[in-house]
Amino acid sequence: LTGGASPATARSAPSLVCAAPWPAMALEPSSRVWFAAPNRDYPQAGVVRAVKGKLVDVQDLDEGQLHSVPATDVRPMGVTSIDGVEDMIQLQDLHEGSLLHNLHLRYTQKKIYTYTGSILVAVNPYQFFDIYGIDMVRKYEGQLIGTLPPHIFAIGAGSLQSMRRNSQDQCIVISGESGAGKTEST
């Protein structure tokens, strides 16, 4: 969130480089913001709890911790990051923190699938969800990606449609660490 500091004076907090300056923002209690948390390498989602001159008390939205940070390290949160989006291309704030926050929001809502364009990101819920039945296959059959909520079946249906339309083989790459949920998704 901060930039332009020399290496000698730079903090170990995250940096967000952008082409245009951030708009001026009146920091008020309950404002949703991104802030430079000392324990993160990326901007952290938070809510302003108090403004004390040049310092702002911000509560971390993921862990609930209260941080007192310089007002210069606080930036407004775009409206799309407040409730989350099905396709991360729609995020107004596009940085590592916003992507992780969006996935976290969706995960807490038991929405384990999220698009990034035509890429499907899956977060292993480590519990059983009844979302893989034949009724769900039929629901996604013939649908374009993005017309229904993100799901592994949308990727399969899109690939099948493309294969039929173009008479060409299709490839779906399923990637992830051990325990990420690759087998469950396939």
Side-chain angles (χ1 to χ4, degrees):
L1 289 173
T2 58
S6 69
T9 61
R11 295 179 5 179
S12 61
S15 171
L16 183 61
V17 179
C18 61
W22 286 93
M25 175 186 168
L27 295 173
E28 298 176 8
S30 349
S31 297
R32 296 292 177 106
V33 295
W34 297 108
F35 71 101
N39 59 340
R40 303 286 179 158
D41 292 332
Y42 51 85
Q44 184 66 35
V47 61
V48 173
R49 293 297 177 208
V51 179
K52 301 174 182 175
K54 293 184 178 184
L55 290 178
V56 180
D57 288 344
V58 182
Q59 184 175 10
D60 177 327
L61 287 178
D62 292 333
E63 298 173 5
Q65 294 180 323
L66 193 63
H67 301 270
S68 189
V69 297
T72 56
D73 287 352
V74 179
R75 300 291 181 249
M77 180 182 284
V79 69
T80 56
S81 294
I82 293 173
D83 295 320
V85 292
E86 290 184 345
D87 188 339
M88 292 194 285
I89 288 177
Q90 298 171 343
L91 287 172
Q92 293 168 312
D93 309 306
L94 193 55
H95 48 75
E96 185 176 0
S98 66
L99 299 176
L100 292 172
H101 179 66
N102 191 67
L103 291 172
H104 181 261
L105 281 174
R106 292 183 55 74
Y107 179 82
T108 60
Q109 298 166 3
K110 300 192 182 305
K111 298 175 181 176
I112 62 169
Y113 293 119
T114 305
Y115 290 125
T116 301
S118 62
I119 298 169
L120 182 70
V121 178
V123 179
N124 190 343
Y126 295 103
Q127 59 185 312
F128 178 76
F129 285 171
D130 189 21
I131 58 173
Y132 300 111
I134 194 69
D135 56 328
M136 194 65 76
V137 172
R138 289 187 181 119
K139 180 178 179 179
Y140 281 85
E141 189 175 14
Q143 299 295 317
L144 297 173
I145 290 178
T147 57
L148 293 172
H151 197 285
I152 190 76
F153 293 160
I155 301 299
S159 182
L160 180 61
Q161 285 177 356
S162 183
M163 189 167 48
R164 287 178 175 161
R165 182 179 56 248
N166 300 322
S167 298
Q168 291 183 330
D169 294 342
Q170 297 292 300
C171 176
I172 297 174
V173 177
I174 299 174
S175 170
E177 295 180 6
S178 176
K182 299 177 300 295
T183 303
E184 186 66 28
S185 291
T186 58

